[in-house]
Amino acid sequence: MATTSLFSLPSLRLISRASASASASRFQTLAARKPAASTVSGDGGGGRGGGGGGLLSVLDRALADEEEYRRARAQVQRKGVEVEGYAIEGVSVGGHETCVTVPSLNVAFDIGRGPHFAVSQDYLFITHAHLDHIGGLPMYIATRGLYNLKPPTVFVPPCIRDDVEELLQVHRRMSQIELKVELVALDLGETYEIRNDLVARPFQTYHAIPSQGYVIYSIRRKLKKQYAHLKGSQIMKLKQSGTEITDTILYPEVAFTGDTKSDFILDPRNADALRAKVLITEATFLDDHIDVEHAREHGHMHLSEIMEHSQWFRNEVIVLTHFSNRYSLEDIRQAVSRLQPKLHSKVVALTEGFKSEYR
C-alpha cells in the first residue's frame, strides 16, 4: 500500500505458591527486615503467656510479609499492561532492547532483538536506527516467513530507508532467504492507512540521531453541522443523492515516541501525541545520580522533565518506558510514586526485563 495523504483536514488531535519450606525461608528473610517484637521472659504462667504473645506476633508478621511478597511477586511476573482498553506488551530497557506492541491495533513499535511476541504484528514502526531499537528487524521478517505469515509492512524514517534496504540485502545474500517485506519511508506530514478505520502519522522527536515518533488514529465520521437540524428521512435523501453528509475526524488513540529529549513536548506540531488516549514515552533517568543535562546530552529524558512539563500532557494514560538498566523494579516504582498526584494517577511503568528483589 502506498503512502498517501488521505485527509486534507488539519490533524485532530497488559505464582504458583511456593512449598512450605520455601515460604518459611522467605518468612525469615522478610521478617529480618523489620525489628523483632519485644518479648517478656519469666517463670510460670506470665512467662508462658508472654512467649505465646510473642509467637503470635511473629506469625502475624510472617503472614503479612508473605502477603506483601505475593503481591510484589505478582507485579514482577505481570506481562505488559492494560490501559484505556488497550493491552500493551513489551520490553524496553535503555541501551539493551525496546519493542512495544499493541495487538488490538496489529502494530509493534521498534523491534529490539526481535522478540517472539512481536512476530504476529503485521505493522512495525521503527523510530530510529540504534541497534537496541532496530537490531531484530531481519529476525522479525525471517520468523514471519518461517510461519508463513504475510510479509510485514515496516515504516522507517525516510533518511534511513536506503540503509535499511541495504542491511536486508546483506542478510538475504548471507542467509539465502527472501526476507519479504514492504518497506515504507513515512515522512512527517504523511498519512498511511492501516485499515479503513485506522491511520498512522509520524511526528518529530529529538534524539541523538535522526528519529521520529508515531501516532495511530481512529477514523470516525460525524454528521456535518449544517445537516444537524434535519430529520432522518431528509438526511437519507441527501445521502442517496450523493451528497457528502459527514465530516471525517481523526482521533489520536496511541502515540509512541521512542527515544527523545523533552523538546518533543514543547513542539507545537506534536499536539496530537500529547492528547492521544495513550502516550508511550521514555524516562531513561529517574534520580539525582544522573542529572537532566546528562540525559539531554545523550538524547534522552529525565523523569524530572516530565514532572516539569506535566501541564502539557492531556493523555488519559502515560506509559513510561526505556528506564536505564541501573535501576531495579523497586527503584522505578519509588520514582513514579514521587510524581505529582494528578500526573501519578495517569502514569504506568512498563517494567518487563528489570530485576527485582522478589524474583
Side-chain angles (χ1 to χ4, degrees):
M1 186 178 296
T3 304
T4 178
S5 295
L6 298 177
F7 306 98
S8 56
L9 66 160
S11 301
L12 301 168
R13 331 211 16 147
L14 144 337
I15 182 179
S16 59
R17 184 164 185 168
S19 64
S21 60
S23 294
S25 174
R26 227 167 27 241
F27 289 161
Q28 295 169 5
T29 301
L30 291 167
R33 297 177 191 163
K34 300 183 179 181
S38 61
T39 58
V40 178
S41 61
D43 297 330
R48 287 191 297 272
L55 177 60
L56 288 174
S57 176
V58 170
L59 288 174
D60 287 343
R61 188 166 66 250
L63 289 171
D65 286 337
E66 170 68 357
E67 182 60 29
E68 176 188 348
Y69 176 90
R70 290 179 63 181
R71 285 198 302 267
R73 181 76 173 173
Q75 288 295 314
V76 170
Q77 294 184 335
R78 185 181 65 179
K79 303 294 184 182
V81 297
E82 186 161 344
V83 292
E84 293 298 312
Y86 290 109
I88 297 173
E89 184 177 0
V91 57
S92 184
V93 182
H96 290 252
E97 178 179 16
T98 289
C99 178
V100 178
T101 66
V102 187
S104 63
L105 301 179
N106 199 18
V107 303
F109 298 105
D110 288 334
I111 196 58
R113 302 178 185 181
H116 188 74
F117 64 78
V119 170
S120 59
Q121 309 309 311
D122 292 341
Y123 298 93
L124 170 61
F125 295 85
I126 298 294
T127 62
H128 66 286
H130 278 153
L131 284 179
D132 55 323
H133 293 255
I134 199 174
L137 180 59
M139 192 63 187
Y140 161 76
I141 298 170
T143 305
R144 286 184 61 89
L146 180 66
Y147 293 157
N148 292 317
L149 298 172
K150 72 176 185 178
T153 303
V154 177
F155 304 90
V156 297
C159 62
I160 67 169
R161 196 262 179 214
D162 291 345
D163 290 335
V164 172
E165 180 57 42
E166 184 178 347
L167 172 69
L168 296 177
Q169 288 287 48
V170 169
H171 281 279
R172 290 180 181 115
R173 289 196 299 270
M174 290 193 301
S175 59
Q176 298 183 23
I177 59 176
E178 292 186 83
L179 292 181
K180 294 181 179 179
V181 59
E182 181 183 0
L183 191 60
V184 178
L186 192 61
D187 205 353
L188 300 177
E190 295 181 326
T191 301
Y192 189 98
E193 184 179 20
I194 296 175
R195 60 189 197 211
N196 61 7
D197 63 344
L198 216 60
V199 299
R201 285 177 173 171
F203 64 93
Q204 183 68 62
T205 56
Y206 298 84
H207 191 34
I209 63 174
S211 62
Q212 62 188 37
Y214 299 91
V215 180
I216 308 298
Y217 299 82
S218 62
I219 303 173
R220 305 180 195 177
R221 306 201 179 272
K222 185 176 181 181
L223 185 67
K224 291 184 175 181
K225 289 183 179 180
Q226 62 262 41
Y227 303 132
H229 66 284
L230 298 179
K231 296 180 180 179
S233 58
Q234 295 173 304
I235 293 173
M236 182 60 68
K237 285 182 180 179
L238 282 172
K239 186 175 181 180
Q240 290 172 345
S241 70
T243 302
E244 181 56 63
I245 62 173
T246 60
D247 288 320
T248 299
I249 302 176
L250 302 186
Y251 288 86
E253 298 288 339
V254 176
F256 182 84
T257 67
D259 293 2
T260 183
K261 295 187 290 186
S262 61
D263 300 40
F264 95 93
I265 301 172
L266 302 178
D267 188 331
R269 298 169 297 176
N270 293 345
D272 280 6
L274 298 175
R275 74 181 195 92
K277 191 178 294 184
V278 179
L279 170 64
I280 307 170
T281 191
E282 71 134 285
T284 303
F285 301 110
L286 303 175
D287 55 29
D288 295 337
H289 292 96
I290 301 293
D291 61 20
V292 170
E293 190 58 35
H294 177 92
R296 292 186 60 81
E297 286 176 4
H298 292 80
H300 293 297
M301 277 202 295
H302 195 287
L303 186 63
S304 64
E305 295 179 279
I306 294 176
M307 298 173 69
E308 178 185 353
H309 299 304
S310 61
Q311 72 271 24
W312 302 112
F313 295 105
R314 297 165 58 195
N315 317 92
E316 297 295 328
V317 175
I318 301 171
V319 179
L320 296 182
T321 67
H322 202 267
F323 308 107
S324 168
N325 193 46
R326 73 184 62 229
Y327 303 117
S328 70
L329 191 148
E330 286 72 33
D331 292 331
I332 296 168
R333 287 185 187 146
Q334 185 176 24
V336 170
S337 72
R338 293 195 294 267
L339 295 172
Q340 307 99 309
K342 188 174 181 180
L343 184 59
H344 179 264
S345 66
K346 64 169 67 177
V347 166
V348 177
L350 189 64
T351 55
E352 176 67 17
F354 286 88
K355 295 178 182 179
S356 168
E357 63 182 281
Y358 295 101
R359 286 196 188 275

